[in-house]
Amino acid sequence: MAEVPPGAFEIPDYALWTLAGLVFTNFIAAWLGYRFGLRYQRYAELLKAKNAVFAEIDQVRSVVATADNLRTVLRAGQTRLENLVFAVSSQLLCKKRRTCIETAWADYKKLDIGDFPTTLESSDSAAVAAARARMSQPLKRLRDEISKA
């Protein structure tokens, strides 16, 4: 049998560092993948909540433009939008953005049902336009604040 030379099975000096580097790199890659995955999930939930709010705001604004009784539109809009708006603002990490959204929501929430006439058919066109603008303006501001988030 042929004899094996004495230096054939020596481990190179850098082998231990290479092995440690591979293990360390795998830990870093796993940790970064986990963190980016969490960030993506949080972003996806925020996007889903924002889309739900936008759809509801757009629906309320379209109904305001054609409705004869703004009281029911206001009451229904405030009821449906409350949970959706706070679902968006609770997912934001920036307190300033959250405060802006909640302030815009408070402006819409403080609209009083008694300020709007029961039927708009009998009113003059200037009063109808003013009532619709008074209801649409806080919704527009709320939509703008949420779109900035």
Side-chain angles (χ1 to χ4, degrees), residues 74-130:
L74 178 64
R75 183 179 294 132
Q78 286 175 343
T79 304
R80 290 190 314 239
L81 277 172
E82 185 170 14
N83 291 336
L84 296 174
V85 168
F86 285 109
V88 170
S89 69
S90 67
Q91 293 179 13
L92 296 175
L93 299 177
C94 180
K95 186 150 181 81
K96 181 181 175 187
R97 278 281 117 224
R98 190 178 313 141
T99 305
C100 290
I101 289 173
E102 289 171 2
T103 304
W105 167 250
D107 289 344
Y108 179 65
K109 186 71 175 173
K110 73 180 176 184
L111 290 176
D112 188 27
I113 292 175
D115 294 342
F116 297 100
T118 307
T119 58
L120 297 177
E121 296 171 345
S122 60
S123 302
D124 60 343
S125 61
V128 169

Short mmCIF file of all heavy atoms in Angstrom, two decimals, residues 74-130:
data_model
loop_
_atom_site.label_atom_id
_atom_site.label_comp_id
_atom_site.label_asym_id
_atom_site.label_seq_id
_atom_site.Cartn_x
_atom_site.Cartn_y
_atom_site.Cartn_z
N LEU A 74 -74.72 60.78 8.13
CA LEU A 74 -73.73 61.15 9.15
C LEU A 74 -73.65 60.11 10.25
O LEU A 74 -72.56 59.68 10.63
CB LEU A 74 -74.06 62.53 9.73
CG LEU A 74 -73.14 63.03 10.84
CD1 LEU A 74 -71.74 63.24 10.28
CD2 LEU A 74 -73.67 64.31 11.44
N ARG A 75 -74.80 59.69 10.76
CA ARG A 75 -74.82 58.72 11.85
C ARG A 75 -74.20 57.40 11.41
O ARG A 75 -73.38 56.82 12.11
CB ARG A 75 -76.24 58.50 12.34
CG ARG A 75 -76.29 57.54 13.53
CD ARG A 75 -77.70 57.32 14.04
NE ARG A 75 -78.21 58.57 14.59
CZ ARG A 75 -79.41 59.08 14.30
NH1 ARG A 75 -80.20 58.45 13.46
NH2 ARG A 75 -79.82 60.19 14.85
N ALA A 76 -74.59 56.92 10.24
CA ALA A 76 -74.06 55.64 9.74
C ALA A 76 -72.57 55.75 9.44
O ALA A 76 -71.80 54.83 9.73
CB ALA A 76 -74.82 55.21 8.51
N GLY A 77 -72.17 56.88 8.86
CA GLY A 77 -70.75 57.07 8.55
C GLY A 77 -69.88 57.12 9.79
O GLY A 77 -68.81 56.51 9.84
N GLN A 78 -70.33 57.82 10.81
CA GLN A 78 -69.56 57.89 12.05
C GLN A 78 -69.46 56.52 12.72
O GLN A 78 -68.41 56.16 13.24
CB GLN A 78 -70.19 58.90 13.01
CG GLN A 78 -69.97 60.33 12.60
CD GLN A 78 -70.69 61.32 13.50
OE1 GLN A 78 -71.59 60.96 14.24
NE2 GLN A 78 -70.27 62.57 13.42
N THR A 79 -70.54 55.78 12.68
CA THR A 79 -70.54 54.45 13.30
C THR A 79 -69.60 53.50 12.58
O THR A 79 -68.82 52.79 13.21
CB THR A 79 -71.97 53.87 13.30
OG1 THR A 79 -72.84 54.78 13.95
CG2 THR A 79 -72.02 52.53 13.99
N ARG A 80 -69.67 53.48 11.26
CA ARG A 80 -68.84 52.53 10.49
C ARG A 80 -67.38 52.94 10.45
O ARG A 80 -66.51 52.07 10.42
CB ARG A 80 -69.38 52.42 9.07
CG ARG A 80 -70.70 51.69 8.99
CD ARG A 80 -71.07 51.39 7.56
NE ARG A 80 -70.89 52.52 6.67
CZ ARG A 80 -71.86 53.07 5.94
NH1 ARG A 80 -73.07 52.58 6.00
NH2 ARG A 80 -71.61 54.09 5.16
N LEU A 81 -67.10 54.23 10.45
CA LEU A 81 -65.72 54.68 10.32
C LEU A 81 -64.92 54.62 11.62
O LEU A 81 -63.70 54.55 11.57
CB LEU A 81 -65.69 56.11 9.79
CG LEU A 81 -65.79 56.27 8.29
CD1 LEU A 81 -65.94 57.73 7.92
CD2 LEU A 81 -64.59 55.68 7.61
N GLU A 82 -65.58 54.66 12.75
CA GLU A 82 -64.84 54.77 14.01
C GLU A 82 -63.84 53.63 14.20
O GLU A 82 -62.66 53.86 14.44
CB GLU A 82 -65.80 54.83 15.19
CG GLU A 82 -65.09 55.07 16.50
CD GLU A 82 -66.06 55.38 17.62
OE1 GLU A 82 -67.26 55.15 17.47
OE2 GLU A 82 -65.58 55.84 18.66
N ASN A 83 -64.29 52.41 14.09
CA ASN A 83 -63.39 51.26 14.28
C ASN A 83 -62.31 51.21 13.20
O ASN A 83 -61.16 50.85 13.48
CB ASN A 83 -64.18 49.96 14.30
CG ASN A 83 -65.04 49.85 15.53
OD1 ASN A 83 -64.75 50.47 16.56
ND2 ASN A 83 -66.10 49.08 15.44
N LEU A 84 -62.67 51.56 11.99
CA LEU A 84 -61.70 51.50 10.90
C LEU A 84 -60.59 52.53 11.08
O LEU A 84 -59.42 52.25 10.84
CB LEU A 84 -62.41 51.71 9.56
CG LEU A 84 -63.42 50.64 9.15
CD1 LEU A 84 -64.16 51.05 7.89
CD2 LEU A 84 -62.73 49.31 8.97
N VAL A 85 -60.96 53.74 11.51
CA VAL A 85 -59.96 54.80 11.70
C VAL A 85 -59.01 54.43 12.82
O VAL A 85 -57.79 54.58 12.70
CB VAL A 85 -60.65 56.15 11.96
CG1 VAL A 85 -59.66 57.18 12.46
CG2 VAL A 85 -61.35 56.64 10.71
N PHE A 86 -59.54 53.90 13.91
CA PHE A 86 -58.66 53.55 15.02
C PHE A 86 -57.85 52.29 14.73
O PHE A 86 -56.79 52.10 15.32
CB PHE A 86 -59.45 53.44 16.32
CG PHE A 86 -59.81 54.78 16.86
CD1 PHE A 86 -61.12 55.23 16.83
CD2 PHE A 86 -58.84 55.63 17.35
CE1 PHE A 86 -61.45 56.48 17.29
CE2 PHE A 86 -59.17 56.89 17.82
CZ PHE A 86 -60.47 57.32 17.79
N ALA A 87 -58.31 51.46 13.82
CA ALA A 87 -57.50 50.32 13.38
C ALA A 87 -56.27 50.80 12.64
O ALA A 87 -55.19 50.23 12.77
CB ALA A 87 -58.32 49.38 12.51
N VAL A 88 -56.42 51.86 11.86
CA VAL A 88 -55.27 52.43 11.16
C VAL A 88 -54.34 53.15 12.13
O VAL A 88 -53.13 52.93 12.13
CB VAL A 88 -55.73 53.40 10.04
CG1 VAL A 88 -54.55 54.16 9.46
CG2 VAL A 88 -56.43 52.65 8.95
N SER A 89 -54.90 54.00 12.96
CA SER A 89 -54.04 54.82 13.84
C SER A 89 -53.33 53.96 14.89
O SER A 89 -52.23 54.31 15.31
CB SER A 89 -54.85 55.92 14.51
OG SER A 89 -55.74 55.38 15.45
N SER A 90 -53.91 52.85 15.29
CA SER A 90 -53.25 52.01 16.29
C SER A 90 -52.04 51.27 15.71
O SER A 90 -51.17 50.84 16.46
CB SER A 90 -54.23 51.01 16.88
OG SER A 90 -54.62 50.07 15.91
N GLN A 91 -51.97 51.14 14.41
CA GLN A 91 -50.85 50.44 13.79
C GLN A 91 -49.68 51.35 13.46
O GLN A 91 -48.64 50.87 13.05
CB GLN A 91 -51.32 49.72 12.53
CG GLN A 91 -52.28 48.61 12.82
CD GLN A 91 -52.75 47.91 11.56
OE1 GLN A 91 -52.20 48.11 10.50
NE2 GLN A 91 -53.77 47.10 11.69
N LEU A 92 -49.86 52.64 13.64
CA LEU A 92 -48.79 53.58 13.32
C LEU A 92 -47.81 53.68 14.48
O LEU A 92 -48.21 53.72 15.64
CB LEU A 92 -49.37 54.96 13.01
CG LEU A 92 -50.26 55.03 11.78
CD1 LEU A 92 -50.84 56.41 11.65
CD2 LEU A 92 -49.47 54.67 10.54
N LEU A 93 -46.54 53.74 14.15
CA LEU A 93 -45.52 53.87 15.18
C LEU A 93 -45.24 55.32 15.52
O LEU A 93 -44.81 55.63 16.62
CB LEU A 93 -44.22 53.18 14.73
CG LEU A 93 -44.33 51.68 14.46
CD1 LEU A 93 -43.02 51.15 13.95
CD2 LEU A 93 -44.77 50.94 15.71
N CYS A 94 -45.49 56.22 14.59
CA CYS A 94 -45.22 57.65 14.77
C CYS A 94 -46.40 58.29 15.53
O CYS A 94 -47.52 58.31 15.04
CB CYS A 94 -45.02 58.32 13.42
SG CYS A 94 -44.69 60.08 13.54
N LYS A 95 -46.11 58.80 16.69
CA LYS A 95 -47.17 59.40 17.52
C LYS A 95 -47.74 60.66 16.87
O LYS A 95 -48.93 60.94 16.99
CB LYS A 95 -46.62 59.72 18.90
CG LYS A 95 -47.66 60.19 19.86
CD LYS A 95 -47.29 59.82 21.26
CE LYS A 95 -48.34 60.26 22.24
NZ LYS A 95 -49.46 59.36 22.31
N LYS A 96 -46.91 61.39 16.14
CA LYS A 96 -47.38 62.60 15.47
C LYS A 96 -48.43 62.27 14.41
O LYS A 96 -49.46 62.93 14.31
CB LYS A 96 -46.20 63.33 14.84
CG LYS A 96 -46.55 64.61 14.14
CD LYS A 96 -45.32 65.25 13.53
CE LYS A 96 -45.70 66.47 12.73
NZ LYS A 96 -44.56 67.03 12.01
N ARG A 97 -48.18 61.23 13.60
CA ARG A 97 -49.13 60.81 12.57
C ARG A 97 -50.43 60.34 13.21
O ARG A 97 -51.51 60.62 12.75
CB ARG A 97 -48.56 59.65 11.75
CG ARG A 97 -47.65 60.01 10.67
CD ARG A 97 -48.42 60.50 9.45
NE ARG A 97 -48.05 61.88 9.23
CZ ARG A 97 -48.86 62.87 8.95
NH1 ARG A 97 -50.12 62.67 8.82
NH2 ARG A 97 -48.43 64.07 8.78
N ARG A 98 -50.28 59.56 14.30
CA ARG A 98 -51.46 59.05 15.00
C ARG A 98 -52.30 60.21 15.54
O ARG A 98 -53.53 60.20 15.43
CB ARG A 98 -51.01 58.15 16.15
CG ARG A 98 -52.12 57.38 16.79
CD ARG A 98 -51.63 56.46 17.89
NE ARG A 98 -50.48 55.69 17.47
CZ ARG A 98 -49.44 55.41 18.25
NH1 ARG A 98 -49.41 55.84 19.48
NH2 ARG A 98 -48.45 54.70 17.80
N THR A 99 -51.65 61.22 16.10
CA THR A 99 -52.36 62.37 16.64
C THR A 99 -53.08 63.14 15.54
O THR A 99 -54.21 63.58 15.72
CB THR A 99 -51.39 63.29 17.39
OG1 THR A 99 -50.70 62.53 18.38
CG2 THR A 99 -52.10 64.44 18.05
N CYS A 100 -52.44 63.30 14.39
CA CYS A 100 -53.07 64.00 13.26
C CYS A 100 -54.32 63.27 12.79
O CYS A 100 -55.35 63.89 12.52
CB CYS A 100 -52.08 64.15 12.11
SG CYS A 100 -50.76 65.32 12.42
N ILE A 101 -54.24 61.96 12.69
CA ILE A 101 -55.40 61.18 12.25
C ILE A 101 -56.52 61.26 13.28
O ILE A 101 -57.69 61.45 12.94
CB ILE A 101 -54.99 59.71 11.98
CG1 ILE A 101 -54.13 59.65 10.72
CG2 ILE A 101 -56.21 58.82 11.83
CD1 ILE A 101 -53.54 58.29 10.44
N GLU A 102 -56.17 61.15 14.55
CA GLU A 102 -57.20 61.20 15.59
C GLU A 102 -57.81 62.59 15.70
O GLU A 102 -59.00 62.73 16.02
CB GLU A 102 -56.63 60.72 16.91
CG GLU A 102 -56.36 59.22 16.90
CD GLU A 102 -55.60 58.71 18.09
OE1 GLU A 102 -55.28 59.53 18.99
OE2 GLU A 102 -55.33 57.51 18.13
N THR A 103 -57.04 63.64 15.42
CA THR A 103 -57.60 64.99 15.40
C THR A 103 -58.57 65.16 14.24
O THR A 103 -59.65 65.76 14.39
CB THR A 103 -56.46 66.04 15.30
OG1 THR A 103 -55.56 65.84 16.39
CG2 THR A 103 -57.01 67.44 15.35
N ALA A 104 -58.19 64.66 13.07
CA ALA A 104 -59.09 64.72 11.92
C ALA A 104 -60.36 63.91 12.18
O ALA A 104 -61.46 64.32 11.79
CB ALA A 104 -58.38 64.21 10.66
N TRP A 105 -60.22 62.78 12.87
CA TRP A 105 -61.39 61.99 13.21
C TRP A 105 -62.28 62.76 14.19
O TRP A 105 -63.51 62.74 14.07
CB TRP A 105 -61.00 60.65 13.80
CG TRP A 105 -62.15 59.95 14.44
CD1 TRP A 105 -62.35 59.74 15.76
CD2 TRP A 105 -63.30 59.42 13.79
NE1 TRP A 105 -63.54 59.10 15.97
CE2 TRP A 105 -64.15 58.90 14.77
CE3 TRP A 105 -63.70 59.35 12.47
CZ2 TRP A 105 -65.37 58.30 14.47
CZ3 TRP A 105 -64.92 58.76 12.17
CH2 TRP A 105 -65.73 58.24 13.15
N ALA A 106 -61.67 63.44 15.15
CA ALA A 106 -62.46 64.20 16.13
C ALA A 106 -63.23 65.32 15.44
O ALA A 106 -64.37 65.63 15.83
CB ALA A 106 -61.54 64.76 17.21
N ASP A 107 -62.65 65.93 14.41
CA ASP A 107 -63.36 66.97 13.66
C ASP A 107 -64.60 66.41 12.97
O ASP A 107 -65.65 67.06 12.93
CB ASP A 107 -62.45 67.62 12.62
CG ASP A 107 -61.38 68.48 13.25
OD1 ASP A 107 -61.52 68.82 14.45
OD2 ASP A 107 -60.41 68.82 12.56
N TYR A 108 -64.49 65.21 12.44
CA TYR A 108 -65.65 64.58 11.80
C TYR A 108 -66.66 64.10 12.85
O TYR A 108 -67.86 64.21 12.67
CB TYR A 108 -65.21 63.42 10.92
CG TYR A 108 -66.36 62.71 10.24
CD1 TYR A 108 -67.14 63.37 9.29
CD2 TYR A 108 -66.68 61.40 10.55
CE1 TYR A 108 -68.19 62.73 8.67
CE2 TYR A 108 -67.73 60.75 9.93
CZ TYR A 108 -68.49 61.43 9.00
OH TYR A 108 -69.54 60.80 8.39
N LYS A 109 -66.14 63.60 13.96
CA LYS A 109 -67.00 63.06 15.01
C LYS A 109 -67.83 64.16 15.69
O LYS A 109 -68.94 63.91 16.14
CB LYS A 109 -66.15 62.31 16.04
CG LYS A 109 -66.90 61.59 17.09
CD LYS A 109 -67.60 60.39 16.54
CE LYS A 109 -68.25 59.60 17.67
NZ LYS A 109 -69.05 58.53 17.18
N LYS A 110 -67.28 65.38 15.75
CA LYS A 110 -68.00 66.43 16.45
C LYS A 110 -69.09 67.09 15.60
O LYS A 110 -69.78 67.98 16.08
CB LYS A 110 -67.04 67.48 17.02
CG LYS A 110 -66.41 68.39 16.02
CD LYS A 110 -65.48 69.36 16.71
CE LYS A 110 -64.79 70.23 15.68
NZ LYS A 110 -63.81 71.10 16.28
N LEU A 111 -69.25 66.66 14.35
CA LEU A 111 -70.40 67.13 13.56
C LEU A 111 -71.67 66.67 14.26
O LEU A 111 -71.81 65.49 14.59
CB LEU A 111 -70.35 66.58 12.14
CG LEU A 111 -69.26 67.12 11.22
CD1 LEU A 111 -69.30 66.38 9.89
CD2 LEU A 111 -69.43 68.60 11.00
N ASP A 112 -72.57 67.57 14.47
CA ASP A 112 -73.81 67.25 15.19
C ASP A 112 -74.92 66.96 14.19
O ASP A 112 -75.07 67.65 13.17
CB ASP A 112 -74.19 68.42 16.09
CG ASP A 112 -75.35 68.08 17.00
OD1 ASP A 112 -75.54 66.89 17.32
OD2 ASP A 112 -76.07 69.02 17.41
N ILE A 113 -75.67 65.94 14.48
CA ILE A 113 -76.76 65.54 13.60
C ILE A 113 -77.81 66.65 13.51
O ILE A 113 -78.42 66.86 12.46
CB ILE A 113 -77.38 64.22 14.09
CG1 ILE A 113 -76.36 63.11 13.91
CG2 ILE A 113 -78.65 63.89 13.36
CD1 ILE A 113 -76.78 61.79 14.45
N GLY A 114 -78.00 67.39 14.59
CA GLY A 114 -79.00 68.46 14.60
C GLY A 114 -78.68 69.62 13.69
O GLY A 114 -79.55 70.43 13.36
N ASP A 115 -77.42 69.75 13.26
CA ASP A 115 -77.04 70.84 12.37
C ASP A 115 -77.49 70.63 10.93
O ASP A 115 -77.46 71.56 10.14
CB ASP A 115 -75.52 71.02 12.38
CG ASP A 115 -75.00 71.47 13.74
OD1 ASP A 115 -75.82 71.97 14.54
OD2 ASP A 115 -73.80 71.32 13.99
N PHE A 116 -77.90 69.43 10.61
CA PHE A 116 -78.26 69.11 9.23
C PHE A 116 -79.77 68.94 9.13
O PHE A 116 -80.39 68.32 9.99
CB PHE A 116 -77.56 67.83 8.77
CG PHE A 116 -76.07 67.97 8.77
CD1 PHE A 116 -75.31 67.46 9.81
CD2 PHE A 116 -75.43 68.62 7.74
CE1 PHE A 116 -73.94 67.60 9.81
CE2 PHE A 116 -74.06 68.75 7.73
CZ PHE A 116 -73.31 68.25 8.77
N PRO A 117 -80.36 69.47 8.07
CA PRO A 117 -81.82 69.33 7.91
C PRO A 117 -82.19 67.88 7.60
O PRO A 117 -81.38 67.10 7.09
CB PRO A 117 -82.13 70.24 6.72
CG PRO A 117 -80.84 70.40 6.00
CD PRO A 117 -79.76 70.27 7.01
N THR A 118 -83.42 67.55 7.93
CA THR A 118 -83.89 66.19 7.69
C THR A 118 -83.99 65.89 6.20
O THR A 118 -83.53 64.86 5.74
CB THR A 118 -85.27 65.97 8.35
OG1 THR A 118 -85.18 66.35 9.71
CG2 THR A 118 -85.69 64.54 8.26
N THR A 119 -84.57 66.80 5.46
CA THR A 119 -84.64 66.62 4.01
C THR A 119 -84.05 67.85 3.34
O THR A 119 -84.22 68.97 3.81
CB THR A 119 -86.09 66.44 3.53
OG1 THR A 119 -86.84 67.58 3.92
CG2 THR A 119 -86.69 65.18 4.10
N LEU A 120 -83.35 67.60 2.27
CA LEU A 120 -82.70 68.69 1.55
C LEU A 120 -83.50 69.13 0.33
O LEU A 120 -83.13 70.08 -0.34
CB LEU A 120 -81.29 68.26 1.11
CG LEU A 120 -80.32 67.95 2.25
CD1 LEU A 120 -79.00 67.47 1.67
CD2 LEU A 120 -80.08 69.18 3.10
N GLU A 121 -84.58 68.46 0.03
CA GLU A 121 -85.36 68.81 -1.16
C GLU A 121 -85.98 70.19 -1.03
O GLU A 121 -86.01 70.96 -1.98
CB GLU A 121 -86.47 67.78 -1.37
CG GLU A 121 -85.97 66.40 -1.67
CD GLU A 121 -87.10 65.39 -1.67
OE1 GLU A 121 -88.20 65.69 -1.17
OE2 GLU A 121 -86.89 64.28 -2.18
N SER A 122 -86.49 70.52 0.16
CA SER A 122 -87.20 71.78 0.33
C SER A 122 -86.27 72.96 0.53
O SER A 122 -86.68 74.11 0.41
CB SER A 122 -88.16 71.67 1.53
OG SER A 122 -87.40 71.39 2.70
N SER A 123 -85.02 72.72 0.85
CA SER A 123 -84.07 73.81 1.11
C SER A 123 -83.58 74.40 -0.21
O SER A 123 -83.66 73.79 -1.27
CB SER A 123 -82.87 73.28 1.90
OG SER A 123 -83.31 72.71 3.11
N ASP A 124 -83.03 75.60 -0.10
CA ASP A 124 -82.47 76.23 -1.30
C ASP A 124 -81.13 75.59 -1.65
O ASP A 124 -80.50 74.93 -0.83
CB ASP A 124 -82.34 77.74 -1.12
CG ASP A 124 -81.44 78.12 0.03
OD1 ASP A 124 -81.17 77.24 0.87
OD2 ASP A 124 -81.00 79.28 0.07
N SER A 125 -80.68 75.77 -2.84
CA SER A 125 -79.48 75.07 -3.32
C SER A 125 -78.23 75.52 -2.60
O SER A 125 -77.30 74.74 -2.42
CB SER A 125 -79.33 75.26 -4.82
OG SER A 125 -79.18 76.64 -5.13
N ALA A 126 -78.15 76.76 -2.16
CA ALA A 126 -76.97 77.24 -1.42
C ALA A 126 -76.87 76.55 -0.06
O ALA A 126 -75.78 76.16 0.38
CB ALA A 126 -77.02 78.75 -1.25
N ALA A 127 -78.00 76.38 0.61
CA ALA A 127 -77.99 75.71 1.91
C ALA A 127 -77.64 74.23 1.75
O ALA A 127 -76.93 73.66 2.59
CB ALA A 127 -79.34 75.86 2.59
N VAL A 128 -78.12 73.62 0.70
CA VAL A 128 -77.82 72.21 0.43
C VAL A 128 -76.33 72.04 0.17
O VAL A 128 -75.68 71.15 0.71
CB VAL A 128 -78.65 71.69 -0.76
CG1 VAL A 128 -78.18 70.32 -1.21
CG2 VAL A 128 -80.12 71.66 -0.39
N ALA A 129 -75.78 72.91 -0.65
CA ALA A 129 -74.34 72.84 -0.96
C ALA A 129 -73.51 73.08 0.29
O ALA A 129 -72.48 72.42 0.51
CB ALA A 129 -73.99 73.84 -2.04
N ALA A 130 -73.93 74.01 1.13
CA ALA A 130 -73.20 74.29 2.37
C ALA A 130 -73.25 73.10 3.32
O ALA A 130 -72.25 72.75 3.96
CB ALA A 130 -73.77 75.53 3.05
#
